[in-house]
Amino acid sequence: MRGNQKLFGAVFLAVATVGVWLLWLGWDTEYTVDPETSSTSGPYEPWQVIGCVLTLVLLAALAGTRLSPWLVAPVMTIAFTVAWSWQAASTDDSGLWAVGGFLVLVGMAAGSTVVSLAGRRIGRALASRNR
């Protein structure tokens, strides 16, 4: 793959990754307070997180078939972590968003690396089978 194609692929992947964040998590900033226990939860519902993770898995797997997993993992990790941290930092007065941001960073790095490597391997196996 040429340099321009890699650059375009990386930019497209970064935009798509931020788009996944916006689609599933970026719009929800409301916390829920249980009237009986006064406990606070949120801002995300479990279905949002599950949908976000599944979409990111699909994106990483598909990107791994076209781009190097060593490009896919850092692009997705940085794009998603920056998007998540930007919103979290702007709505958190306690400073604990940094802990969440670190956990998002580690999870994205591990997940996008494993999934893009698997996508690359499966893509190559299918390509060699079709020859």
Side-chain angles (χ1 to χ4, degrees):
M1 190 177 265
R2 290 180 159 151
N4 286 342
Q5 289 174 322
K6 286 182 186 177
L7 178 61
F8 177 75
V11 169
F12 179 83
L13 181 59
V15 170
T17 302
V18 172
V20 170
W21 171 79
L22 279 168
L23 174 70
W24 291 104
L25 306 177
W27 53 270
D28 193 354
T29 58
E30 297 293 319
Y31 285 84
T32 305
V33 179
D34 185 327
E36 292 181 20
T37 63
S38 296
S39 65
T40 304
S41 65
Y44 313 124
E45 296 294 327
W47 63 268
Q48 289 174 277
V49 176
I50 292 167
C52 184
V53 169
L54 292 176
T55 308
L56 288 170
V57 165
L58 180 63
L59 182 60
L62 291 174
T65 65
R66 296 287 191 174
L67 300 168
S68 166
W70 309 117
L71 177 64
V72 172
V75 166
M76 289 186 72
T77 299
I78 291 168
F80 194 87
T81 302
V82 167
W84 186 91
S85 296
W86 172 74
Q87 182 186 39
S90 68
T91 60
D92 179 29
D93 295 332
S94 70
L96 287 175
W97 70 268
V99 174
F102 177 75
L103 294 173
V104 167
L105 177 82
V106 170
M108 279 297 299
S112 59
T113 300
V114 168
V115 173
S116 62
L117 283 168
R120 167 60 57 101
R121 185 171 211 163
I122 292 167
R124 285 186 173 175
L126 291 174
S128 68
R129 187 185 246 180
N130 291 333
R131 287 184 185 164

